[in-house]
Amino acid sequence: IQAPDDVVSAYVGDVESGTVLVQHSVSSQSALSLLPGGRDALDSFGPRKPATLTGADGTTVATVPCDGQRSEHDPRCGKGRGDLFTLGQLLAAAGVDLDAPSLSSVGETKRSAGVTLILSVDYRANLLTRSADYSYLVNASRLEAKATFFGSFASTFGAVPNATREVFSLHGVQLIFEQSGGLTSFDFFTLLLTFVSGLALVSISKSITNTFLLYLAPRRNEYRLFLRSQTPDFAPANQAERRALADLVASKRRKRAICDGQPAAPEQSTEQPVVSPLAPLSEEPTAPLRAGSRAE
């Protein structure tokens, strides 16, 4: 293998005036879509307002929307459809100077060594207005913008030892296109499925937790006392049941007052005094009997 004796270099003049036509589309499917077939779509092909290109420093540039019709205001569109950029706009928005020294090749400028730009399109949808839009973002990358390939195989006088092959090394502005975001729309069936699935997961987790506390936990006997609470009979049939219900309600009220930070009412007994049949009906002192009177 012999090194090439002659190297031919060719350059494209005024590369900043070159144009780039970007075409892209995104679609989503929903049962509540306003479009036929239940699909929402957004693309750069039809008539629309200019999109915005945001640079690395936050500056914005408006694109040229091309709708396939020859425009007298911007004949660069021709019959193409998409968003039109100039390479100078992309380089300026990314903060790249082609005449600055290259970071990947020593002794060369970026115009000679090449540069890579990452062009991202971000899709955004508004659920309230049922509208969608997109914007562009461009940044510079440290990836090499270099491609090397071999040309056609040729031989001199049909002799293989004299065979030659051309090697092409391309350096330029490389564009990497990315898509992010998406079209979102409200879907009742998805909401219902998420809600039902959430209820099922909560029920399963509750069952697992209760099983562990009741049968596997070290203090399962204590847990059982607090896991379930029995309510009294609110339709007492006799005096004893009415007395037990009154005591329990009073105890609950005292506990609630303590939890709410209020002074608890003093405990009052609901027990009725037992009257002995031999005891006097009244504790008041009786008046002395007078002569000639008798006690009734």
Side-chain angles (χ1 to χ4, degrees), residues 168-191:
F168 295 90
S169 180
L170 298 181
H171 303 249
V173 179
Q174 177 179 234
L175 290 179
I176 298 178
F177 190 72
E178 295 180 344
Q179 291 176 292
S180 61
L183 300 181
T184 56
S185 58
F186 176 77
D187 192 350
F188 176 76
F189 300 102
T190 303
L191 175 63

Side-chain angles (χ1 to χ4, degrees), residues 18-86:
T19 57
V20 178
L21 187 65
V22 179
Q23 298 176 338
H24 57 88
S25 64
V26 66
S27 64
S28 65
Q29 187 170 3
S30 172
L32 300 180
S33 175
L34 299 179
L35 298 179
R39 299 188 67 86
D40 291 326
L42 179 64
D43 55 50
S44 62
F45 301 105
R48 67 206 170 280
K49 63 180 181 180
T52 58
L53 171 66
T54 304
D57 56 353
T59 58
T60 58
V61 179
T63 64
V64 178
C66 300
D67 56 0
Q69 304 295 329
R70 290 188 178 275
S71 174
E72 297 179 357
H73 302 285
D74 200 331
R76 294 175 300 177
C77 290
K79 292 186 177 182
R81 295 176 179 268
D83 290 320
L84 187 69
F85 302 94
T86 64

Side-chain angles (χ1 to χ4, degrees), residues 91-151:
L91 293 171
V96 175
D97 184 10
L98 292 181
D99 295 327
S102 175
L103 300 178
S104 58
S105 299
V106 181
E108 289 185 301
T109 62
K110 295 180 180 179
R111 188 183 300 272
S112 175
V115 66
T116 300
L117 302 180
I118 299 178
L119 182 62
S120 304
V121 57
D122 184 43
Y123 301 98
R124 286 291 179 265
N126 192 333
L127 296 178
L128 299 179
T129 60
R130 297 302 304 273
S131 61
D133 200 358
Y134 63 87
S135 60
Y136 294 97
L137 177 65
V138 62
N139 289 289
S141 175
R142 298 180 66 109
L143 296 175
E144 291 186 354
K146 181 187 300 184
T148 303
F149 60 94
F150 296 95

